[in-house]
Amino acid sequence: MQVPDVTGSPSSPAASRHRWILHVDLDQFQVSVERIRDPELVGVAVIVGGSGDPEQPRTVVTCASYEAREQGVRAGMPMRAALKRSPDAVFLPTDHATYDAASARVMEAIASLGHPVEVWGWDEAYVGVDADDPVPVAAAIRETVAAVTGLRSAVGISDNKQRAKMATNIAKKRPVDGDPAARVFVLTGENWRAEMGERPTRDLHSVGPKTAAKLAAAGVDTVDDLAATPRQTLIDMFGPHQGTWLHVLARGGGDATITTEPEPARSHSKVQTFPTDLTDVAQMHDRLAELTESLLAEIVGEGRVVFRVAVTVRTTTFFTRTKSRKLPAPTTSLADISPAVHVLLDKFDLDRPVRLLGVRLELTDPDT
């Protein structure tokens, strides 16, 4: 279990404290992005993961629609197991370039409202708010994200990140229509025990199955049970760091800071959807060369170095595949990167019209 710093880092110029922390979580993000570009997927079981081939070994589900979840499919499940549980589902590959682009639009939409934003991956972010009433801000975030991207979201509100994230899980179960505060929930010290006390410890953010099982073996089943367990008992069971964190977490405590300085990007990507499908392979190579050169210029401008390349192709039938390869050595040379990109494109069967091309360049750690 990863244990965050419960005190935050107020001395850091990038970290700040706010009256409220809002956790924004996008609804079945990858599936929702796929449904926007192919509305025929709405209402059917959709499973995203790997190359999209459920028979391929060692691949797992990264996102499942609610229809698939009702059949027992969960993120992290092997794709083969998902196929057994939902044999009629539509299986799609993980399209990093498209999800990167969609996520960037979401985060820009949230930031446009003028509050500090801490981005956590593709589909979630924390927002610092100092208004007396945070609910209208949460509603405005949901409305803005939907208007700009077409994606739905839920917002949890509290005074720290962990409790805000738990509030989001409650908000996801609220009605969508007819309520300006739909899919928004406020969880504070006042309603903490009423909402969370009788829930299993597994419902606490960052408590994994192994930790919950160890607690249950000691007779600690609910959040109230955990809150009543002496701190020293938890330290004896889990060690000083994790034991103290569980003691804090059971009482609704957590990290109360927003850090707006993002972690260094692991990759950059560019995609282009063509107004007219491409059928000429030479044109495909030309467009991909343009994307690669433009993307590399941005990366060089940031002082980053490329170690892996990936190419995404989507045909007019929305069949999407991504192929990648590691470069012989990290580089910023177009002469080294471009040939690898074109070799990847040639590995695709380009016998169908191409609707979209994308290139992703994965980057070394800037501190190495």
Side-chain angles (χ1 to χ4, degrees):
M1 179 180 76
Q2 182 180 6
V3 181
D5 176 7
V6 299
T7 61
S9 303
S11 61
S12 168
S16 57
R17 292 180 179 272
H18 301 272
R19 183 171 182 179
W20 301 100
I21 291 181
L22 278 55
H23 176 251
V24 184
D25 187 87
L26 298 174
D27 197 22
Q28 50 182 2
F29 172 66
Q30 295 170 41
V31 169
S32 296
V33 172
E34 298 291 352
R35 284 174 167 172
I36 287 174
R37 65 187 180 190
D38 185 2
E40 292 185 3
L41 296 175
V42 175
V44 302
V46 178
I47 298 170
V48 179
S51 67
D53 180 0
E55 297 287 0
Q56 186 176 355
R58 298 187 298 276
T59 57
V60 299
V61 175
T62 59
C63 187
S65 69
Y66 289 122
E67 295 83 0
R69 295 178 199 181
E70 290 175 356
Q71 298 174 349
V73 179
R74 295 291 182 270
M77 174 183 291
M79 290 285 276
R80 287 179 171 178
L83 178 62
K84 291 180 180 178
R85 297 196 180 193
S86 186
D88 296 325
V90 176
F91 288 84
L92 298 172
T94 305
D95 186 348
H96 290 272
T98 297
Y99 306 148
D100 283 345
S103 178
R105 291 195 299 272
V106 169
M107 301 311 166
E108 289 170 1
I110 296 173
S112 72
L113 297 175
H115 304 282
V117 179
E118 182 174 331
V119 178
W120 280 53
W122 274 331
D123 60 349
E124 61 179 324
Y126 290 96
V127 183
V129 173
D130 293 308
D132 290 338
D133 184 358
V135 173
V137 178
I141 289 172
R142 293 190 67 248
E143 292 169 2
T144 301
V145 169
V148 172
T149 70
L151 297 170
R152 295 193 309 173
S153 60
V155 181
I157 302 172
S158 192
D159 54 3
N160 65 67
K161 289 175 179 172
Q162 284 68 33
R163 189 149 60 184
K165 189 173 177 73
M166 288 181 267
T168 307
N169 292 332
I170 300 173
K172 288 178 180 179
K173 300 176 182 179
R174 290 169 67 84
V176 177
D177 299 318
D179 180 356
R183 298 213 171 193
V184 173
F185 191 79
V186 182
L187 184 61
T188 66
E190 293 182 0
N191 62 346
W192 172 254
R193 288 198 63 186
E195 291 292 339
M196 298 296 298
E198 296 302 314
R199 293 176 183 259
T201 58
R202 184 72 176 89
D203 282 4
L204 291 171
H205 173 56
S206 77
V207 173
K210 291 183 179 180
T211 299
K214 190 172 182 178
L215 288 169
V220 180
D221 297 308
T222 68
V223 174
D224 274 347
D225 292 339
L226 184 58
T229 304
R231 181 201 299 255
Q232 190 57 49
T233 300
L234 295 173
I235 291 174
D236 292 342
M237 291 175 63
F238 296 98
H241 194 47
Q242 185 176 351
T244 299
W245 172 240
L246 289 170
H247 179 79
V248 171
L249 192 65
R251 289 160 174 75
D255 179 5
T257 63
I258 293 291
T259 303
T260 55
E261 182 178 346
E263 294 184 0
R266 295 183 176 90
S267 67
H268 284 328
S269 60
K270 280 186 179 291
V271 296
Q272 183 175 3
T273 301
F274 305 108
T276 302
D277 297 332
L278 299 184
T279 56
D280 187 301
V281 175
Q283 279 190 317
M284 299 177 198
H285 279 283
D286 288 344
R287 300 290 83 74
L288 198 61
E290 293 170 359
L291 288 172
T292 303
E293 184 174 0
S294 173
L295 182 59
L296 182 60
E298 295 178 7
I299 290 171
V300 170
E302 295 178 7
R304 302 294 298 277
V305 180
V306 179
F307 77 94
R308 183 187 293 274
V309 301
V311 172
T312 297
V313 173
R314 178 174 303 120
T315 66
T316 189
T317 58
F318 286 93
F319 182 85
T320 307
R321 286 290 183 270
T322 299
K323 298 181 185 293
S324 67
R325 69 184 300 176
K326 189 176 181 179
L327 296 171
T331 182
T332 57
S333 170
L334 183 62
D336 295 329
I337 294 170
S338 184
V341 169
H342 291 292
V343 166
L344 287 175
L345 180 61
D346 286 333
K347 289 181 177 294
F348 289 91
D349 293 327
L350 300 174
D351 55 346
R352 297 180 181 178
V354 168
R355 176 184 179 87
L356 173 148
L357 286 174
V359 61
R360 183 175 78 251
L361 302 181
E362 299 184 18
L363 310 174
T364 60
D365 189 324
D367 295 327
T368 58

